[in-house]
């Protein structure tokens, strides 16, 4: 079988500081659209690729246990929705739609273990499996319900609240009967939080000069759950305003990933004073809850009770700009890159 | 009934920065040794008073939810071992020995709710009920076993390791089959850790110029449990060296209590990378485990398998110096003040 073109986005070199479009190259590779004889791998046509904040961590040379680093000269890896072209593995067959870890390229040959789930429900947008029905959705669900242990009437604060995860945490909090306030980085995003996602309050953190005062304004009685996506100054202000027995699921610290010297958090003694549980997590250990999660969220999506905003970049060649835009907050909602629609 | 002298240690004014002896006064009050008619209170003769790091927090004007502030002009309050002189409450009677929250004075009239437990075992030193058999012992037990969830073979690091809590955490870790290293602030304390308490390693943090390198030296494979007593730079170095799914019970941050501007902790993103649970606690919610704890620890004490080092100050008038000494690390082991021996 003949080789075909396989456009790829590769990392040029390890990144220091904020990533730039020029840290990545779009190159033309070649691939034979055939699973090698005797291989259990699966050949995928990539449809939607997911831009996720954690990817910045993999662009650094320092690798963290449980995370890795990207390899300069090789395509980025990340979550995506793909169509099976050919399968060497009995669990998958031609034309299955799947989501999991794939590469930033048109076609990928991946080990079957990288595929997370076969997609069974296609009455919702396929791109949702990079977001609300994929890793970010599962992250919001597990972080909020499993680690946050929310109770009706509790006060919830979400940072990066219009992002892929944050917009869901806020809506899940409202469904639970919580009071929820979110922070974001533009008027447009703040309006989304209040008018579309039903947050009780929202503010643009860039316009707040004293975040401690901001927290006191929105949470005069304190915060029970802080869903942490940003770290740094926001976390420091939150720590001063947590209630007794508060919970802080730590999902991300996007404000810190690009700093060569992270900001210092000074108010950690409040963990003791308020007996706070702060727990870093990645979604990996929660995937056994995925079918339970789908049962919960699919009806809400179909009834329009949970909404999801995506920011769609068309074409793999626009992937680097889309990815880089996450770290300056250019995206509004979940950032997706369309490689192909079917 | 006639009044008698009641020597007291009172706070002069709210404290900023490191506390000094002169922040407290020893004054002569008067007390009638009688429970008022119709009162349910209990009249105590105080025997041993406990010097505990958290007391610094109560010396500040800022009060924290769940903590309070001391009242300038009034005696300090704190844990102590006392003898009941007279009781207006049916649970206590004359000559009972009790431990709980009392005042820094010779005699105290306290609500019965402030008494934590009646002392049933007197074949061990009575002063132990301010330490290994009191709040610090229960703190070490609950923090290490309930929040730390230790498993045999895991790597444990304890800061302030020769202190009232730390020396027990280390010994409990050894009983569990863990590898345990402690930090302390003098050669004498480090020798205690290694030679008396059986730590696998110990170092004087004042002699380490690069705590990250120190951690790597003692924990080439990383730390599973960090029992946090100090905060600041030590915590920051630990965060870089935690293992996947590590636990950090946060018992205290003594290095931070006296700072008007606490040190910044910069490595919190490791909470995510390593999926670490960091949990602040105070012992209050664990006292339902006290009888279970006694069953565990009393036989070990009697058999000499768990040791306890106390630093005894004689006389209430030496209380202020003893208390202040905690924050410069003057004490070796649990700091106790003897008011009377019976």
């Amino acid at each position: 079988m003949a080789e075909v073109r396989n456009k790829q986005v590769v990392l040029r070199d390890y990144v220091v500081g904020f990533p730039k479009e020029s840290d990545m190259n779009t190159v033309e590779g070649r691939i034979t659209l055939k699973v090698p004889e005797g291989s259990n791998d699966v050949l995928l046509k990539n449809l939607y690729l997911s831009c996720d904040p954690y990817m910045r961590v993999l662009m650094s040379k320092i690798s963290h246990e449980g995370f890795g680093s990207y390899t300069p000269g090789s395509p980025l890896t990340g979550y995506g929705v793909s169509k099976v072209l050919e399968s060497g593995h009995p669990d998958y067959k031609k034309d299955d739609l799947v989501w999991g870890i794939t590469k930033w390229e048109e076609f990928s040959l991946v080990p079957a273990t990288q595929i997370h789930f076969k997609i069974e429900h296609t009455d919702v947008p396929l791109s949702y499996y990079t977001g609300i029905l994929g890793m970010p959705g599962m992250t919001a669900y597990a972080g909020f319900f499993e680690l946050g242990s929310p109770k009706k009437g509790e006060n919830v604060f979400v940072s990066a609240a219009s992002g892929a995860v944050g917009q869901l945490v806020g809506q899940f909090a409202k469904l639970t009967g919580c009071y929820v306030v979110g922070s974001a980085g533009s008027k447009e995003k703040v309006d989304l939080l209040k008018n579309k996602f039903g947050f009780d309050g929202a503010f643009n953190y860039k316009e707040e000069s004293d975040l401690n005062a901001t927290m006191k304004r929105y949470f005069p009685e304190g915060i029970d759950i802080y869903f942490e996506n940003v770290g740094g100054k926001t976390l420091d202000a939150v720590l001063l305003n947590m209630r007794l027995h508060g919970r802080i699921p730590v999902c991300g610290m996007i404000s810190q990933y690009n700093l060569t010297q992270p900001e210092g958090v000074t108010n950690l003694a409040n963990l003791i004073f308020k007996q706070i549980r702060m727990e870093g997590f990645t979604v990996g250990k929660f995937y056994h809850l995925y079918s339970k999660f789908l049962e919960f969220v699919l009806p809400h999506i179909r009834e329009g009770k949970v909404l999801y905003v995506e920011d769609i970049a068309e074409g793999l060649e626009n992937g680097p700009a889309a990815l880089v835009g996450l770290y300056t907050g250019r995206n509004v909602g979940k950032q997706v890159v369309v490689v192909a629609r079917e």
Side-chain angles (χ1 to χ4, degrees), chain A:
Chain A
M1 198 178 210
E3 281 188 343
V4 299
R5 182 198 73 174
N6 191 19
K7 213 187 294 178
Q8 301 178 310
V9 172
V10 303
L11 187 71
R12 290 174 66 148
D13 200 358
Y14 295 117
V15 175
V16 176
F18 272 82
K20 305 176 297 296
E21 275 187 64
S22 59
D23 289 323
M24 289 160 271
N25 271 339
T26 306
V27 302
E28 298 224 346
R30 309 283 299 169
I31 187 169
T32 305
L33 293 181
K34 184 97 197 87
V35 174
E37 203 70 42
S39 162
N40 290 130
D41 288 353
V42 182
L43 182 69
L44 301 175
K45 179 182 185 190
N46 296 314
L47 306 180
Y48 298 94
L49 295 175
S50 179
C51 296
D52 292 297
Y54 81 88
M55 295 169 76
R56 172 62 188 86
V57 180
L58 278 56
M59 291 180 183
S60 292
K61 189 164 188 181
I62 309 142
S63 99
H64 297 278
E65 193 181 358
F67 278 60
S69 280
Y70 288 138
T71 307
S74 292
L76 305 187
T77 61
Y79 286 89
V81 171
S82 312
K83 192 159 125 181
V84 175
L85 294 185
E86 191 190 348
S87 175
H89 193 280
D91 288 358
Y92 305 99
K93 61 175 199 309
K94 186 172 181 329
D95 293 332
D96 278 349
L97 291 164
V98 298
W99 72 269
I101 298 289
T102 186
K103 296 183 203 167
W104 278 45
E105 57 190 1
E106 291 173 284
F107 304 99
S108 299
L109 188 68
V110 303
T113 50
Q114 283 190 196
I115 297 173
H116 282 31
F117 294 97
K118 214 185 285 192
I119 292 173
E120 312 282 1
H121 306 275
T122 53
D123 60 324
V124 290
L126 258 189
S127 57
Y128 275 18
Y129 289 91
T130 67
I132 183 170
L133 297 174
M135 183 276 282
M138 196 58 226
T139 298
Y141 180 78
F144 184 65
F145 289 110
E146 298 293 313
L147 303 186
S149 308
K151 287 182 277 295
K152 190 178 168 182
E154 285 193 321
N155 298 334
V156 176
F157 177 56
V158 191
S159 53
S162 70
V165 174
Q167 56 177 298
L168 293 175
V169 172
Q171 293 179 85
F172 294 166
K174 288 311 299 174
L175 287 172
T176 311
C178 298
Y179 167 82
V180 59
V181 174
S183 64
S186 74
K187 181 176 185 311
E188 181 185 7
K189 294 178 187 180
V190 167
D191 288 345
L192 262 185
L193 296 179
K194 290 197 283 200
N195 303 329
K196 189 165 180 104
F197 300 131
F199 281 58
D200 297 293
F203 62 88
N204 179 350
Y205 70 90
K206 293 175 182 170
E207 291 180 350
E208 302 292 326
S209 57
D210 178 351
L211 282 169
N212 180 21
T214 308
M215 295 302 161
K216 288 193 172 16
R217 197 164 78 235
Y218 285 100
F219 296 99
E221 293 177 355
I223 300 165
D224 295 291
I225 301 175
Y226 170 45
F227 197 99
E228 166 67 299
N229 285 315
V230 302
K233 290 184 181 65
T234 302
L235 174 58
D236 230 358
V238 164
L239 284 167
L240 291 175
N241 291 280
M242 289 296 289
R243 298 184 73 180
L244 211 54
H245 301 122
R247 286 84 70 199
I248 305 182
V250 184
C251 174
M253 292 197 173
I254 195 172
S255 77
Q256 305 301 298
Y257 297 157
N258 302 304
L259 305 179
T260 44
Q261 179 56 39
E263 292 175 300
V265 171
T266 60
N267 297 318
L268 286 169
N270 287 278
L271 294 181
I272 308 160
F273 307 149
K274 317 283 183 60
Q275 303 178 45
I276 294 165
R277 191 178 65 219
M278 187 169 175
E279 188 162 356
F281 72 104
T282 57
V283 70
K285 68 174 172 185
F286 295 105
Y287 280 128
H288 62 284
L289 301 174
Y290 186 63
S291 61
K292 190 179 155 203
F293 166 61
L294 286 185
E295 273 173 46
F296 163 79
V297 79
L298 277 169
H300 286 306
I301 295 174
R302 291 179 182 130
E303 293 164 22
K305 287 188 181 158
V306 168
L307 305 173
Y308 202 62
V309 170
E310 298 177 314
D311 194 328
I312 306 272
E314 292 288 340
L316 187 59
E317 60 282 5
N318 291 315
L323 179 56
V324 162
L326 279 187
Y327 305 100
T328 54
R330 201 189 68 165
N331 58 307
V332 178
K334 166 68 195 174
Q335 182 68 59
V336 184
V337 177
V338 187
V339 183
R341 291 195 183 267
E342 58 177 354

